[in-house]
Amino acid sequence: MAILPILEIPDPRLRRISEPVQEVNDAIRTLAADMLETMYAAPGIGLAAAQVDVPLRLLVMDLTDGPEDADGNRTKNPRIFINPEILDPSEDYSVYNEGCLSVPDQYADVERPATVRVRWLDEQGLAHDEVLEGLLATCLQHEMDHLNGIIFIDHLSRLKRLMVLKKLDKFRQEQSRKKAFA
Ligand code: GNR
Ligand code: NI
């Protein structure tokens, strides 16, 4: 297992269209395991292969909404989606304050279909077809966007996007200042 470096904007590699996975093999399973480890370490609730510089249609998610154990840790619930496809998105929308590991420390409200039917392959190559709702639906759509070179700030108004980019700039300056004095 390995923690992989996460690409950040404005890296042009985040803008590539990812290719379908041709065969679900050990290399793909290893990549998915590394992506989960990377996501947990970040920490984040989702990660697309594009974010770790692999332009394949593969994403992982874990909302860790399972029960807490005695130490207050939640049971992990890792999910792997290979070649995911969205079918009939709902007409009703929901708004969520989204963040992205490729846009560190920035959050903004994004409106997306509240429920989506999703078809995908798991790490054994088995097909699934399920209706997702709530944060699961939001996160899946955020990750699917990455497979198509789209980042959550693309959904904002120009003014809102400029504000986020300015705050990101400030955040990075602060980070490098801290590093210099560490
Ligand atoms: O960790 C993440 N949190 C999150 C919160 C709201 C909506 C989407 C996300 S996904 C994000 C991790 C990430 O960047 N995935 O691509
Ligand atoms: Ni993201």
Side-chain angles (χ1 to χ4, degrees), residues 64-110:
T64 47
D65 48 2
E68 281 185 16
D69 68 15
D71 300 325
N73 295 315
R74 291 188 184 277
T75 316
K76 283 193 166 72
N77 182 23
R79 302 186 63 153
I80 297 168
F81 296 79
I82 298 168
N83 298 341
E85 281 178 83
I86 291 179
L87 313 158
D88 35 75
S90 64
E91 275 168 36
D92 55 312
Y93 281 70
S94 69
V95 176
Y96 199 89
N97 196 244
E98 298 195 12
C100 182
L101 295 171
S102 298
V103 191
D105 203 50
Q106 307 307 315
Y107 300 87
D109 283 351
V110 178

Side-chain angles (χ1 to χ4, degrees), residues 10 26-27 51 57 62 83 87 104 115 125 127 133 176:
D26 282 346
Q51 290 177 281
R57 304 192 80 80
D62 189 341
N83 298 341
L87 313 158
T115 64
E133 54 176 30
S176 60

Side-chain angles (χ1 to χ4, degrees), residues 6-181:
I6 297 175
L7 302 179
E8 295 183 2
I9 60 164
D11 196 308
R13 289 171 291 181
L14 287 168
R15 295 304 188 174
R16 290 182 292 192
I17 310 288
S18 295
E19 296 289 335
V21 170
Q22 294 298 339
E23 186 200 350
V24 181
N25 54 26
D26 282 346
I28 291 295
R29 283 184 280 272
T30 299
L31 172 62
D34 287 348
M35 284 171 58
L36 280 164
E37 191 182 5
T38 302
M39 181 190 76
Y40 289 129
I45 60 171
L47 190 71
Q51 290 177 281
V52 292
D53 198 17
V54 179
L56 288 175
R57 304 192 80 80
L58 163 63
L59 57 92
V60 297
M61 297 199 294
D62 189 341
L63 305 192
T64 47
D65 48 2
E68 281 185 16
D69 68 15
D71 300 325
N73 295 315
R74 291 188 184 277
T75 316
K76 283 193 166 72
N77 182 23
R79 302 186 63 153
I80 297 168
F81 296 79
I82 298 168
N83 298 341
E85 281 178 83
I86 291 179
L87 313 158
D88 35 75
S90 64
E91 275 168 36
D92 55 312
Y93 281 70
S94 69
V95 176
Y96 199 89
N97 196 244
E98 298 195 12
C100 182
L101 295 171
S102 298
V103 191
D105 203 50
Q106 307 307 315
Y107 300 87
D109 283 351
V110 178
E111 198 178 49
R112 300 182 187 273
T115 64
V116 287
R117 189 175 146 211
V118 185
R119 210 156 53 183
W120 75 96
L121 301 179
D122 65 19
E123 68 278 16
Q124 305 304 328
L126 295 174
H128 295 259
D129 187 326
E130 223 181 273
V131 175
L132 303 184
E133 54 176 30
L135 184 52
L136 211 50
T138 293
C139 188
L140 184 106
Q141 290 173 80
H142 173 116
E143 304 311 337
M144 292 272 308
D145 269 356
H146 279 301
L147 305 187
N148 296 320
I150 296 167
I151 297 164
F152 83 102
I153 57 170
D154 300 345
H155 293 287
L156 309 177
S157 70
R158 182 163 30 209
L159 179 64
K160 199 93 220 310
R161 182 165 53 250
L162 283 172
M163 280 168 53
V164 167
L165 291 173
K166 211 169 134 185
K167 282 197 334 193
L168 175 61
D169 225 51
K170 236 181 114 182
F171 172 75
R172 281 173 168 161
Q173 280 174 32
E174 191 66 14
Q175 291 289 103
S176 60
R177 214 175 56 83
K178 275 186 191 156
K179 235 183 215 158
F181 283 89

